[in-house]
Structures are given as structure tokens and as C-alpha cells.
Amino acid sequence: MPLGALDDRIRGLRAGGDDYLTKPFALVELIARIEALLRRPAMSRETRLRVGPLELDLIERTVTRSGRTIDLLPREFRLLEYMMRRPDQMVTRAMLFEDVWNYRFVPDSNLVDVHMGKLRHKIDAPGDEPIIQNVRGAGFILRANV
């Protein structure tokens, strides 16, 4: 089945894609789509993400919570960025395997849970209200109102 099939286009857009161009395509269409993307407001090209007390700088690759610097490994950074782009939305383990690990299947593994546990440990200092919540049997939610 070609990747231009309706299901593939929908899956690509729901996974966070802004647009979808199927092959073969005309060069003038590609240029027109790029021009349209560049006309979007600068806010969509933001280099800092803020959710509640968390701030993530995409250029400097730094994370702070209430002014406290948090050192993250590259995968933890990608995981947190993914969650921060979807505040107050439930994110499933399958979504994380596909979009953060680039797996095209869901392995029978606790890999996501292990990484999420390490990320939570780093983000939540003693006395902090937990910002990432587990939805038992379903996934995780990054709460904006903490």
C-alpha cells in the first residue's frame, strides 16, 4: 500500500506533522507549501516551551523547574519535549514508542516506564507536586496546572 493512502496521511498528521505531501509531487507545490509554512506566526517556531513550572529551551537543550536546572540525558530530553508539546493530554506508551523511540511496533517491554520513572525523579524535587501523572494501564499526562 502506498504511503499516500488516507490512513497514512491521517497517522502522520495525528503524530504531530504540520503537513503531508505525497510522492510524486510537483516542485512548485513543494515551494508553495514551504512558503505557506513560513507565513505561519512566529509562535509556532518557538524555541522555548513552558508548561507550569517547567521551561525547556530547544536551542540550549536546557530544562528548568521553578528556576532549578535539571540535567537530562538526550532521550529524557526528547521524552519531556514530547510531553510538553501535549500538556494536559494523555500520551500512551504506544505513542511514545513510535514518536520518541521511532519504533514501528510496540515491544513487550517496560522501557517507557523505566525512562518515565527516571525523568519524574529528576523533575520532581522533594516537596514538589508531581507534574507527570500516570494514567494506570493507559499512559501519562503532563499537568500544566501544578
Side-chain angles (χ1 to χ4, degrees):
M1 182 184 298
L3 286 179
L6 179 61
D7 289 344
D8 292 312
R9 293 191 310 260
I10 291 169
R11 192 172 317 126
L13 293 169
R14 285 188 175 157
D18 291 326
D19 199 357
Y20 199 99
L21 183 63
T22 60
K23 290 182 184 179
F25 58 86
L27 186 57
V28 292
E29 180 184 6
L30 174 63
I31 292 169
R33 287 174 183 259
I34 291 170
E35 289 170 346
L37 289 171
L38 291 173
R39 284 192 303 269
R40 289 186 181 173
M43 189 168 38
S44 66
R45 294 186 294 261
E46 189 133 1
T47 62
R48 287 180 185 253
L49 303 176
R50 289 179 189 87
V51 176
L54 285 175
E55 184 173 322
L56 185 142
D57 187 315
L58 295 165
I59 304 296
E60 298 293 324
R61 310 287 291 173
T62 58
V63 177
T64 59
R65 178 172 179 169
S66 302
R68 175 179 55 91
T69 301
I70 301 168
D71 292 322
L72 297 180
L73 297 172
R75 182 76 66 185
E76 295 166 341
F77 188 91
R78 287 179 54 203
L79 183 58
L80 182 60
E81 177 186 353
Y82 188 85
M83 299 287 295
M84 289 181 74
R85 291 187 184 276
R86 294 156 185 82
D88 294 318
Q89 295 179 24
M90 208 250 320
V91 175
T92 67
R93 287 167 180 81
M95 290 167 68
L96 294 171
F97 272 123
E98 190 167 319
D99 299 331
V100 176
W101 275 266
N102 296 316
Y103 288 177
R104 297 297 167 235
F105 63 96
V106 178
D108 186 22
S109 167
N110 67 345
L111 182 69
V112 170
D113 297 279
V114 169
H115 278 81
M116 192 61 75
K118 290 179 180 181
L119 179 61
R120 288 163 123 176
H121 181 73
K122 290 180 179 184
I123 289 175
D124 299 330
D128 285 345
E129 185 174 341
I131 196 165
I132 298 174
Q133 297 178 346
N134 186 19
V135 179
R136 190 173 190 97
F140 307 91
I141 297 177
L142 180 86
R143 294 289 182 195
N145 299 322
V146 173

